[in-house]
């Protein structure tokens, strides 16, 4: 089944304790992205990657890191989490068509992170 | 799960009626638009898309209409069912210096009454 898989689904941690949220897709998509979703603010892009070893900041990158060493994986790293990073996080992926324009993003089921 | 829909507009419809969800987009140069459905505890799920060279596209029970003159997008759901209850987001593809970027609307809650 074609899907984007995030782990864990739920995570409770304390301020300052480094954590990683994993994301993997099995659709051979070039493009991957992380979003956070907060009530009243909608989906905001954190980081994105156009392909292996190519990453760039989105709208709210502060406090986050990413890496893209393999095409299928795009982990989100919080080096020193703070309470304002408590949120619902989504990983997404899509194909990139040079000649046909953009294609729909496929989303994972989310990771609910609580930082106390 | 916790609601992501605080203070979002809500549309309540009777089961079997048609639903129309509206979205105003911001950039007249946007060339691609998508509707997503998000059920509680799940990620956004692709419903239908439309490119700017079209003004209407139909799927199974859904139709998207695009009015570029007034920068308006709508999603019509025929014979709405309880399983259609969710938050619906529109997204527009904007061209940036570095490539394309999907910008999401805040969402509309659809509640289907049986």
């Amino acid at each position: 089944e074609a899907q984007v898989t995030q782990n864990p689904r739920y995570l409770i941690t304390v301020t300052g304790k480094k954590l990683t949220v994993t994301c993997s897709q099995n659709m051979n998509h070039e493009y991957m992205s992380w979003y956070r979703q907060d009530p009243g603010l909608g989906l905001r892009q954190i980081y994105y990657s156009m392909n292996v070893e190519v990453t760039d900041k989105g709208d709210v990158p502060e406090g986050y890191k990413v890496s893209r060493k393999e095409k299928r994986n795009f982990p989100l790293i919080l080096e020193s989490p703070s309470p304002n990073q408590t949120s619902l996080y989504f990983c997404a992926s899509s194909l990139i068509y040079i000649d046909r324009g953009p294609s729909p993003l496929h989303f994972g089921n989310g990771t609910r992170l609580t930082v106390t | 799960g916790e609601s992501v829909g605080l203070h979002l507009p809500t549309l309540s419809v009777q089961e079997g009626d048609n639903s129309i969800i509206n979205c105003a987009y911001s950039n007249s140069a946007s060339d691609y638009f998508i509707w997503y459905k998000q059920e509680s505890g799940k990620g956004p799920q692709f419903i239908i898309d439309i490119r700017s060279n079209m003004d209407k596209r139909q799927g199974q029970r859904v139709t998207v209409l695009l009015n570029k003159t007034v920068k308006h997008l709508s999603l019509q759901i025929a014979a709405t069912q309880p399983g259609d209850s969710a938050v619906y987001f529109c997204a527009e593809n904007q061209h940036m210096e570095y490539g394309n970027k999907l910008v999401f609307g805040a969402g509309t809650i659809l509640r289907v009454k049986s």
Side-chain angles (χ1 to χ4, degrees), chain A:
Chain A
E1 181 190 351
Q3 58 186 5
V4 178
T5 302
Q6 297 177 226
N7 281 296
R9 288 295 309 276
Y10 301 92
L11 180 57
I12 300 174
T13 190
V14 296
T15 298
K17 186 176 181 183
K18 180 179 178 180
L19 66 92
T20 299
V21 184
T22 64
C23 174
S24 181
Q25 50 92 5
N26 61 1
M27 296 169 280
N28 203 34
H29 286 170
E30 296 89 0
Y31 182 89
M32 297 186 75
S33 183
W34 276 101
Y35 293 85
R36 60 178 289 173
Q37 188 176 40
D38 302 286
L41 296 176
L43 282 159
R44 294 181 292 167
Q45 190 179 49
I46 302 170
Y47 268 93
Y48 66 96
S49 169
M50 301 289 280
N51 214 324
V52 176
E53 301 292 0
V54 181
T55 64
D56 210 341
K57 297 176 181 178
D59 297 317
V60 288
E62 294 77 20
Y64 304 95
K65 285 174 55 177
V66 292
S67 70
R68 187 91 182 273
K69 294 186 170 57
E70 306 162 284
K71 197 171 187 179
R72 63 183 293 125
N73 296 324
F74 191 45
L76 179 70
I77 302 152
L78 284 72
E79 294 271 4
S80 183
S82 62
N84 66 10
Q85 292 178 298
T86 293
S87 186
L88 180 58
Y89 291 87
F90 289 103
C91 181
S93 71
S94 73
L95 290 167
I96 295 177
Y97 295 118
I98 302 301
D99 56 343
R100 286 166 52 187
S103 64
L105 279 172
H106 298 260
F107 285 84
N109 276 330
T111 295
R112 183 162 297 286
L113 172 65
T114 302
V115 184
T116 61

Side-chain angles (χ1 to χ4, degrees), chain A residues 9 31 35 37-40 42-43 45 48 50 56 59 88 90 100-110 112, chain B residues 1-4 6 31-32 34 36 38 41-46 49 51 89 93 98-102 104-106:
Chain A
R9 288 295 309 276
Y31 182 89
Y35 293 85
Q37 188 176 40
D38 302 286
L43 282 159
Q45 190 179 49
Y48 66 96
M50 301 289 280
D56 210 341
D59 297 317
L88 180 58
F90 289 103
R100 286 166 52 187
S103 64
L105 279 172
H106 298 260
F107 285 84
N109 276 330
R112 183 162 297 286
Chain B
E2 181 184 319
S3 169
V4 295
L6 294 180
D31 62 354
Y32 177 66
I34 310 176
Y36 284 94
Q38 186 176 18
K42 295 185 178 179
Q45 178 186 2
F46 170 80
D49 58 0
R51 300 195 185 273
F89 297 93
N93 182 68
Y98 49 81
N100 298 317
K101 177 181 177 179
L102 267 183
F104 290 86

Side-chain angles (χ1 to χ4, degrees), chain B residues 3-45:
Chain B
S3 169
V4 295
L6 294 180
H7 310 301
L8 292 181
T10 300
L11 175 66
S12 292
V13 299
Q14 198 66 38
E15 181 179 359
D17 287 352
N18 296 335
S19 303
I20 300 177
I21 301 170
N22 295 305
C23 178
Y25 63 92
S26 60
N27 192 328
S28 57
S30 294
D31 62 354
Y32 177 66
F33 305 87
I34 310 176
W35 278 101
Y36 284 94
K37 172 187 180 183
Q38 186 176 18
E39 297 173 275
S40 181
K42 295 185 178 179
Q45 178 186 2

